[in-house]
Amino acid sequence: MIAHLQRTSDTVGLLTYLYGPGERGNHTSPRLIAGDGHGAPIELLAEPDSLPYLAHALNAPVERLGVRAPERPVWICSVRSDPRRPDLTDAQWAAVARRLVAATGIAPNGDPNACRWIALRNQPRQVHVVATLAREDGSLHNAYRDAFRLQTECHRLAAELGHQPTAPHPTPRAEETPVPALSITITAEPSGSVSAKGATDDLSATLLRHAGFQQIEDWYGRRHRLPTTTPAADRVAIATHAAEMLEAARYGVDLDPALDASRTSTPVHPLGPYIAGAELLQLTDQIRSAEGGAALLRVVDHLLHPEHGALERIREALEAAGEQITDLDDEAYQLADRFDFAAEFVSSAQSQLIDWEGELRHVGNSPHPQAETQPLSPKLPDSRCAALGTSPAAARAKLSPSPDAGAAGTNTAVRAPQAPSLRTR
């Protein structure tokens, strides 16, 4: 059992084709076998002279979205069964259609806000499922992994129906016909981008996207490339990884030597694969050795830049890890939530450091009055005094004194000289 997934924007044209004779005149007895219109009488509208009204009933949630509606809101899945097996009845095909819309999330069982859909037959051993991606509550169905979920569910259905193909008899090597391998060329462009051209089949496209390439489909056809903003080291790593996966899948790969990691001489880092951690360790050393607020500002910018800083990259990585866990295993939602919470904590830490750049510019530029809790450490550097003076905890302590204020001040005075961020000049 094989599923083929497509998207379109013309619901009326699609229904007219499915209920019509077909391109080769092979459509026979088009008929509706299942569907859910959320109150719309789709059974009465599924007639050749009522197709515009049926299309309007399916598109009603999309029309309510207005400008937020996607460009191609119509989802169509065509499923074929094994021609060597007996055909299924209309009731069996209707059950197959319900399983498919539930597995993809188009219409989960018991969901009152599911997408509207219909299933119709016009040929033997085949069913067409047509749905609109707009849900009843105004949200949109995420079709990112629909193809994977469809093939998985079709495999289960074929096993349940006894339609699994039997293993073919081994072919003697003398009778094997060699199949020419598809070739792909990965080159570095003068603009700084990296392009992958050649084979345009779905397997090579999936491997290239998995490696990190962006897929572009327009009137020039299907292409894959890396953005010009990709760092040089990442370009080499992504291109090399893509070439290795394609070669393992029996593709012929012509990789630009400048993008081949095996030909580039890179020193082995003592921390092995943990290069990101080593770079953060180096950043910490630079922070500790910064002389003055200006030097410290330049180093801390690598950590706190709102778009390219290390803290923002850590937040994005934690968020992506949670999403990937959900995609790989729906049952591991608790672990995914923990990664999401960690990403939120990092975001909260970023919000505590708003306007850090303007304040850090003044660190070390002018003397600051010492806090009352500093008599035991009069030689604290100006940067430490500024940090204590602007501490939210210190400000709250001044505004809301408590009986324990004296003890808190004593603890601060004792711990201040032992702070790991102090340095001597």
Side-chain angles (χ1 to χ4, degrees):
M1 188 169 289
I2 300 175
H4 180 60
L5 187 61
Q6 300 180 80
R7 295 270 295 277
T8 184
S9 59
D10 185 5
T11 310
V12 177
L14 173 63
L15 295 177
T16 302
Y17 169 76
L18 293 177
Y19 277 91
E23 296 180 357
R24 302 177 181 178
N26 54 352
H27 290 182
T28 58
S29 182
R31 57 198 180 276
L32 183 76
I33 61 171
D36 186 359
H38 289 273
I42 56 176
E43 294 83 0
L44 300 177
L45 299 176
E47 299 294 336
D49 56 347
S50 303
L51 295 184
Y53 302 100
L54 176 61
H56 177 72
L58 292 174
N59 285 338
V62 179
E63 295 172 355
R64 289 197 295 264
L65 293 178
V67 295
R68 295 192 300 113
E71 183 179 357
R72 294 184 297 169
V74 185
W75 184 94
I76 175 171
C77 174
S78 301
V79 184
R80 297 177 182 270
S81 63
D82 190 342
R84 297 168 295 182
R85 305 289 181 176
D87 194 5
L88 305 181
T89 64
D90 284 357
Q92 289 175 313
W93 276 119
V96 168
R98 293 188 182 93
R99 288 273 297 270
L100 295 179
V101 295
T104 56
I106 289 289
N109 295 328
D111 187 355
N113 295 317
C115 301
R116 300 188 180 189
W117 64 278
I118 60 172
L120 60 95
R121 297 192 64 195
N122 55 19
Q123 293 185 64
R125 297 185 177 84
Q126 186 173 3
V127 67
H128 301 283
V129 183
V130 180
T132 48
L133 298 182
R135 293 167 50 84
E136 293 295 316
D137 58 1
S139 62
L140 289 173
H141 167 68
N142 185 2
Y144 172 62
R145 293 178 61 83
D146 281 0
F148 172 77
R149 296 188 177 103
L150 281 172
Q151 296 302 343
T152 302
E153 192 65 20
C154 284
H155 183 78
R156 292 178 184 150
L157 287 166
E160 294 173 9
L161 295 170
H163 284 199
Q164 288 284 24
T166 57
H169 296 288
T171 304
R173 290 193 174 274
E175 300 179 10
E176 289 182 355
T177 303
V179 178
L182 299 174
S183 62
I184 296 178
T185 302
I186 303 177
T187 57
E189 298 179 350
S191 62
S193 176
V194 176
S195 63
K197 301 177 181 178
T200 58
D201 59 301
D202 292 338
L203 176 58
S204 64
T206 301
L207 294 176
L208 287 169
R209 289 197 306 270
H210 180 75
F213 281 80
Q214 292 182 351
Q215 180 171 308
I216 303 173
E217 292 193 27
D218 51 23
W219 51 84
Y220 294 108
R222 177 183 289 178
R223 296 169 290 136
H224 295 85
R225 63 185 296 273
L226 294 180
T228 56
T229 56
T230 306
D234 292 347
R235 291 199 297 266
V236 174
I238 293 174
T240 302
H241 182 49
E244 291 173 351
M245 290 194 298
L246 291 168
E247 289 174 348
R250 304 295 180 87
Y251 288 89
V253 181
D254 183 10
L255 179 62
D256 192 327
L259 300 172
D260 191 348
S262 63
R263 300 188 183 185
T264 58
S265 57
T266 55
V268 179
H269 198 276
L271 293 183
Y274 303 104
I275 300 176
E279 292 179 351
L280 287 175
L281 182 61
Q282 183 180 6
L283 184 62
T284 303
D285 294 338
Q286 294 176 3
I287 291 175
R288 287 174 175 167
S289 61
E291 296 290 341
L296 184 60
L297 174 64
R298 290 192 296 270
V299 181
V300 175
D301 182 60
H302 293 283
L303 180 66
L304 301 181
H305 191 279
E307 295 182 9
H308 310 297
L311 205 60
E312 174 63 14
R313 291 293 176 260
I314 292 174
R315 186 198 64 77
E316 292 176 352
L318 290 171
E319 189 177 76
E323 294 175 354
Q324 187 67 9
I325 290 171
T326 303
D327 290 343
L328 295 176
D329 188 355
D330 293 337
E331 300 297 328
Y333 59 90
Q334 292 182 344
L335 178 60
D337 287 345
R338 289 163 60 189
F339 275 89
D340 291 340
F341 292 153
E344 292 177 3
F345 291 152
V346 175
S347 179
S348 177
Q350 290 174 302
S351 66
Q352 295 296 325
L353 296 171
I354 295 176
D355 298 333
W356 65 270
E357 185 175 1
E359 298 179 16
L360 192 56
R361 292 182 186 276
H362 302 290
V363 172
N365 293 338
S366 60
H368 295 271
Q370 293 184 343
E372 295 179 359
T373 59
Q374 293 180 333
L376 298 181
S377 55
K379 294 183 179 181
L380 286 175
D382 293 341
S383 58
R384 177 63 176 171
C385 297
L388 291 174
T390 58
S391 169
R396 287 195 298 271
K398 290 181 180 181
L399 293 176
S400 303
S402 64
D404 298 332
T410 303
N411 292 337
T412 303
V414 173
R415 288 194 301 267
Q418 300 175 358
S421 61
L422 295 180
R423 63 179 185 276
T424 59
R425 299 187 180 179

